[in-house]
Amino acid sequence: MNSVSSSSQLKIHLPHFSEPHSRNVSDTRKLQLPFSSSSFPTLYFSRSLGFPFRSDFNFAHWSSTRFVISKCVNGKSSDPLEPGSGLNDATGPAQVPKQKDISIVKILKESNSLLPHVVLASTLLALVYPPSFTWFTTRYYAPALGFLMFAVGVNSRENDFLEAFKRPAALFAGYVGQFVVKPLLGYFFGIISVTLFGLPTSIGAGIMLVSCVSGAQLSSYATFLTDPQMAPLSIIMTSLSTATAVFVTPMLSLLLIGKRLPVDVKGMVFSITQIVVAPIAAGLLLNRFFPKICNAIRPFLPPLSVLVTALCVGAPLAINIKSLLSPFGATVLFLIVAFHLSAFIAGYVFTGLVFHKAPDVKELQRTLSYETGMQSSLLALALANRFFQDPLVSVPPAVSTVIMSLMGFSLVMIWAKRKE
């Protein structure tokens, strides 16, 4: 054997023995193992063979087994019984591979997968035991929504926007679905709630207000669960609608419900700037100029976002439980379900007609269906509580917060199973 480096190793195949090998006692030495147990057979080391063997070992049966032995140093074999030789040394090649540790950071990052279950659990808890959420009063809605917007900003980058801007037609279609199709549906259901079902005017105004707000951040998460490759497009759609909601939402509210209830356009613009624009900008700037801080806090944002979303879903339902149990509560629930169902269907069908030649038309249909059917009901709820004196205006946004989440994630499960 040629002289080689002591740090390298050689893998050899044993020749096929027709009979079990045996050695004289004088040619062997007992191998001292780092443990003592009667359950392990006695091992002997043969200098002529150069590796340990069991006294009852059948070499014919294991003729193809590979052994790893230490190479020579200056042409002389190193004694495997010496420390550091690799046979009985903990740092040698005979180490047992350790099982992969479960990372706490990974668990935190993947906590978003619990969001559908948390939404359902918070809904049931709010119905069964309302005091569990009534402490989360309306004054916490705006900060909670601001935190969700900040989390979006921290997890956004310039490249995501650049990639999405390469599909202007899809972005425009999503914008039309959010601020044209959806407000028309909201106006329709708001009108029939008053004229056909005889509900108070405030209920109709609340339905219209829900249809005027921007897309929900949950739509991007739903898109990620169904079609991960479409998530950047969904993010930019939601971001565009959120950014322009500063001007579009007050104008649509004034156009649709201005004659029925007073609307403070300047106050709404200022409120949306505080709740939406400032947190997203802060997250983007922090991610851009202080990436180490973002990397430190990013693993904790998903579980906190899940907790905040659970509070934002359960609290409106618990606080308005009396209104939901009122004589017109079932009617409001029916109208909100019909509004969201119509928006989901309209977004899906509209996209299929416009982009029927696109290679990823199905993915686009699902993405724009989420964008049209899911909107920031929490923003509508915050605006209703702040700018409308009648508390009934906040009932449709409160119901929409729950129904929109449940229907959206139900579609996630349905479409995900169909893809499988």
Side-chain angles (χ1 to χ4, degrees):
M1 181 182 296
N2 297 330
S3 176
V4 294
S5 172
S6 61
S7 61
S8 59
Q9 295 176 339
L10 175 66
K11 292 184 178 180
I12 64 172
H13 288 278
L14 290 178
H16 184 80
F17 294 100
S18 59
E19 293 294 334
H21 247 288
S22 62
R23 291 291 171 185
N24 296 328
V25 177
S26 59
D27 191 37
T28 60
R29 286 190 296 162
K30 190 173 182 179
L31 179 61
Q32 299 297 328
L33 297 175
F35 47 79
S36 60
S37 175
S38 59
S39 61
F40 291 91
T42 303
L43 297 180
Y44 291 90
F45 182 79
S46 171
R47 291 192 178 275
S48 59
L49 289 178
F51 55 88
F53 67 96
R54 283 173 45 174
S55 58
D56 58 345
F57 188 78
N58 188 339
F59 282 89
H61 180 69
W62 295 98
S63 61
S64 62
T65 306
R66 293 187 178 185
F67 288 83
V68 180
I69 65 173
S70 299
K71 277 192 176 180
C72 302
V73 181
N74 298 326
K76 296 180 180 180
S77 298
S78 59
D79 193 346
L81 298 179
E82 294 177 356
S85 62
L87 286 174
N88 60 347
D89 185 18
T91 61
Q95 289 183 9
V96 178
K98 296 181 179 180
Q99 293 183 351
K100 188 176 180 181
D101 295 334
I102 299 177
S103 174
I104 300 298
V105 175
K106 184 178 180 180
I107 295 176
L108 293 175
K109 288 181 178 180
E110 294 181 352
S111 59
N112 273 337
S113 60
L114 300 175
L115 188 58
H117 308 285
V118 172
V119 169
L120 179 60
S122 60
T123 301
L124 296 176
L125 184 59
L127 291 173
V128 175
Y129 188 66
S132 59
F133 290 99
T134 51
W135 62 271
F136 195 80
T137 57
T138 55
R139 64 178 180 176
Y140 297 118
Y141 293 164
L145 186 59
F147 172 78
L148 295 178
M149 297 297 105
F150 173 76
V152 172
V154 168
N155 288 280
S156 300
R157 295 179 181 177
E158 293 83 354
N159 293 336
D160 298 333
F161 294 90
L162 294 177
E163 290 295 327
F165 277 117
K166 294 180 180 179
R167 308 188 69 170
L171 293 176
F172 181 74
Y175 197 84
V176 170
Q178 290 177 348
F179 283 135
V180 177
V181 176
K182 189 173 59 180
L184 290 176
L185 291 174
Y187 183 77
F188 170 75
F189 283 102
I191 290 296
I192 66 172
S193 67
V194 177
T195 58
L196 184 61
F197 293 94
L199 297 178
T201 304
S202 301
I203 297 295
I207 297 175
M208 295 179 188
L209 183 62
V210 169
S211 68
C212 294
V213 294
S214 57
Q217 300 301 330
L218 289 179
S219 63
S220 299
Y221 181 61
T223 300
F224 172 77
L225 295 178
T226 308
D227 302 290
Q229 72 279 9
M230 304 299 291
L233 183 65
S234 177
I235 291 173
I236 194 65
M237 286 180 182
T238 306
S239 300
L240 282 175
S241 67
T242 300
T244 56
V246 174
F247 307 101
V248 178
T249 296
M251 297 309 298
L252 286 175
S253 300
L254 180 62
L255 178 65
L256 297 182
I257 62 179
K259 295 182 180 181
R260 290 176 173 81
L261 292 173
V263 177
D264 184 1
V265 177
K266 293 182 179 180
M268 290 180 69
V269 170
F270 180 73
S271 180
I272 293 176
T273 302
Q274 283 185 318
I275 296 174
V276 179
V277 178
I280 289 182
L284 288 173
L285 291 175
L286 190 66
N287 193 20
R288 179 67 176 85
F289 296 104
F290 303 97
K292 292 184 178 180
I293 297 178
C294 283
N295 292 334
I297 67 175
R298 191 174 284 118
F300 299 97
L301 292 179
L304 291 176
S305 299
V306 171
L307 176 62
V308 170
T309 303
L311 293 173
C312 292
V313 170
L317 186 61
I319 294 174
N320 296 278
I321 191 68
K322 293 183 179 179
S323 299
L324 293 176
L325 297 178
S326 62
F328 56 84
T331 306
V332 173
L333 180 63
F334 168 77
L335 290 171
I336 292 297
V337 170
F339 164 71
H340 284 289
L341 182 61
S342 301
F344 280 117
I345 295 175
Y348 190 87
V349 174
F350 171 74
T351 306
L353 294 176
V354 176
F355 299 97
H356 62 279
K357 294 184 178 180
D360 55 351
V361 59
K362 290 298 181 181
E363 290 81 356
L364 275 176
Q365 283 184 284
R366 290 190 287 263
T367 300
L368 268 72
S369 178
Y370 289 134
E371 293 298 320
T372 307
M374 303 177 72
Q375 67 284 322
S376 184
S377 302
L378 288 175
L379 177 59
L381 184 61
L383 296 175
N385 290 324
R386 183 166 183 177
F387 297 105
F388 297 93
Q389 297 179 353
D390 194 335
L392 291 179
V393 179
S394 63
V395 174
V399 178
S400 175
T401 302
V402 180
I403 297 302
M404 177 264 297
S405 301
L406 293 178
M407 294 182 69
F409 288 111
S410 296
L411 285 176
V412 168
M413 291 185 289
I414 293 173
W415 280 332
K417 288 183 178 179
R418 287 185 177 181
K419 289 180 64 177
E420 294 176 358

